[in-house]
């Protein structure tokens, strides 16, 4: 036992990337306290496989003007090789954020279950949808789709067979949110009050629903961006390591397999000699 402990210690000293990997894993176990430790472990180390973790979306949910778009743009800038915003479809808009779709296309999409997200804006008389194929395209590029949607859309998406990490973005207070709405929109007082009433209900629900992995209070911009970055690193372990470090860990695993195969071959040969 002493010899094995010493061998393990020497191995970790020679390969600090493994020691860091195990430390990060244990820290995340303590942070998330998963009900199913085995599934969590399997998902956590999935980034060492060729497919990685790009199957899981990142979905930011929160009231209007809370800062979701700013956070998404920041994450994409910080991790440009890992994250990408999907292109939504709209029956009215055709700009950088949306791709135009006619009513017939939308109807066909609903009938054939082609959307992961769909909502109707009653004020603008507009359908806004996100196609499964758009997510799949991002995943094929080995990237993680990151997007923002409303709370009702998030609840529906959570009930679908779609793996996603939901993150709630909350204001420090309704007064702070009122100031941001005034600053970023041209709404009159009546509409601002309606937005705040809706936001109050959304905040209560986001705090209640258990499918949210993180809830981030976006108070000071710098602190909020730091929190969302830390959340991404916690959810996607590969962001902590360079490609070289990941290859080193994979090579260690390959070396261990080859060593085990050689030992098994040696044992087989020795057993054959004994039988002879």
């Amino acid at each position: 036992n002493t010899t094995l402990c010493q061998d393990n210690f020497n191995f970790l000293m020679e390969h600090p990337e493994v020691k860091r990997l195990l430390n990060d894993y244990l820290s995340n176990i303590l942070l998330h306290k998963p009900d199913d430790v085995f599934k969590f472990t399997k998902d956590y180390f999935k980034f060492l496989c060729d497919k990685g973790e790009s199957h899981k979306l990142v979905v930011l949910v929160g009231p209007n003007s809370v800062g979701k778009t700013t956070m998404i743009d920041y994450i994409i800038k910080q991790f440009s090789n890992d994250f990408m915003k999907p292109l939504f479809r709209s029956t009215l808009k055709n700009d950088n954020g949306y791709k135009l779709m006619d009513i017939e296309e939308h109807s066909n999409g609903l009938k054939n279950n082609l959307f992961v997200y769909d909502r109707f804006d009653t004020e603008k008389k507009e359908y806004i949808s996100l196609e499964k194929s758009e997510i799949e395209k991002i995943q094929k590029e080995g990237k993680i789709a990151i997007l923002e949607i409303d709370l009702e859309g998030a609840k529906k998406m959570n009930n679908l067979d779609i793996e996603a990490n939901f993150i709630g973005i909350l204001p420090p207070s309704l007064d702070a949110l009122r100031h941001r709405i005034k600053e970023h929109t041209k709404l009159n007082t009546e509409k601002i009050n309606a937005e705040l009433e809706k936001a109050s209900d959304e905040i209560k629900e986001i705090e209640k629903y258990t499918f949210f992995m993180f809830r981030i209070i976006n108070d000071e911009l710098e602190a909020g961006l730091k929190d969302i970055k830390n959340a991404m690193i916690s959810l996607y372990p590969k962001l902590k390591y360079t490609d070289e470090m990941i290859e080193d860990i994979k090579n260690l695993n390959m070396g261990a397999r080859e060593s085990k195969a050689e030992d098994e071959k040696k044992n087989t040969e020795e057993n054959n000699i004994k039988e002879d």
Side-chain angles (χ1 to χ4, degrees):
N1 186 57
T2 302
T3 302
L4 286 172
C5 288
Q6 186 62 45
D7 286 346
N8 287 338
F9 176 79
N10 292 338
F11 181 83
L12 291 176
M13 292 302 100
E14 292 171 4
H15 303 286
E17 65 274 16
V18 177
K19 184 177 180 181
R20 179 184 173 185
L21 180 69
L22 294 174
N23 285 340
D24 288 341
Y25 162 70
L26 291 173
S27 296
N28 273 273
I29 282 280
L30 294 173
L31 173 65
H32 294 291
K33 298 181 177 63
D35 294 329
D36 189 337
V37 176
F38 293 102
K39 184 180 184 303
F40 177 88
T41 302
K42 180 181 177 182
D43 289 341
Y44 187 87
F45 289 106
K46 195 173 287 184
F47 76 98
L48 293 174
C49 302
D50 292 334
K51 291 184 179 179
E53 309 155 297
S54 58
H55 65 289
K56 275 199 172 184
L57 323 180
V58 177
V59 183
L60 269 58
V61 184
N64 291 336
S65 299
V66 79
K68 302 184 295 295
T69 302
T70 300
M71 287 184 167
I72 288 176
D73 291 342
Y74 173 76
I75 289 300
I76 291 176
K77 184 177 179 180
Q78 290 290 307
F79 305 105
S80 58
N81 293 327
D82 299 286
F83 290 92
M84 182 183 293
K85 282 197 289 188
L87 190 63
F88 283 75
R89 303 292 302 273
S90 168
T91 52
L92 288 182
K93 300 173 185 173
N94 185 14
D95 54 30
N96 292 333
Y98 296 87
K99 182 180 178 182
L100 192 62
M101 169 182 59
D102 60 39
I103 296 296
E104 187 177 349
E105 277 185 285
H106 178 265
S107 298
N108 289 334
L110 284 178
K111 288 178 184 177
N112 295 300
N113 195 29
L114 300 181
F115 302 136
V116 296
Y117 171 79
D118 180 73
R119 78 176 178 90
F120 179 67
D121 190 318
T122 54
E123 185 175 334
K124 298 178 181 178
K125 307 300 180 185
E126 170 192 24
Y127 288 101
I128 298 175
S129 309
L130 178 59
E131 294 172 308
K132 292 178 181 178
S133 60
E134 178 68 14
I135 300 298
E136 291 168 355
K137 183 179 74 173
I138 293 174
Q139 292 171 340
K140 285 179 181 177
E141 293 184 28
K143 294 192 176 186
I144 302 162
I146 182 169
L147 57 134
E148 58 174 291
I149 61 174
D150 58 283
L151 179 60
E152 289 305 312
K155 289 191 285 187
K156 290 178 182 177
M157 187 181 288
N158 183 56
N159 291 328
L160 297 175
D161 188 22
I162 298 169
E163 291 193 83
N165 288 313
F166 294 92
I167 300 177
I169 309 299
L170 306 172
S173 67
L174 288 178
D175 285 338
L177 185 60
R178 179 189 293 275
H179 177 74
R180 292 179 189 176
I181 294 173
K182 283 184 177 180
E183 187 177 357
H184 298 139
T185 70
K186 296 180 181 180
L187 298 179
N188 58 36
T189 302
E190 183 180 349
K191 289 188 176 181
I192 289 176
N193 288 337
E195 282 288 320
L196 290 173
E197 185 176 348
K198 177 184 174 184
S200 178
D201 293 335
E202 288 180 335
I203 291 167
K204 291 175 183 176
E205 290 198 71
I206 289 171
E207 290 174 341
K208 177 182 71 174
Y209 284 106
T210 57
F211 62 80
F212 286 97
M213 298 297 292
F214 289 97
R215 295 173 184 84
I216 295 174
I217 297 177
N218 189 20
D219 189 356
E220 296 296 329
L221 178 61
E222 188 174 342
L225 295 179
K226 183 179 179 181
D227 286 343
I228 191 67
K229 181 178 179 180
N230 288 337
M232 293 300 100
I233 291 173
S234 175
L235 293 171
Y236 301 92
K238 71 175 182 179
L239 300 178
K240 304 173 188 176
Y241 310 100
T242 63
D243 292 339
E244 290 77 13
M245 290 176 67
I246 292 175
E247 283 304 311
D248 286 343
I249 295 172
K250 286 183 178 179
N251 290 335
L252 285 173
N253 186 39
M254 183 61 70
R257 289 180 182 176
E258 291 174 353
S259 176
K260 183 179 179 181
E262 288 177 3
D263 289 342
E264 289 176 351
K265 181 180 179 181
K266 184 178 179 182
N267 290 334
T268 301
E269 290 174 349
E270 289 177 352
N271 290 333
N272 290 338
I273 291 172
K274 289 179 181 179
E275 289 177 0
D276 291 343

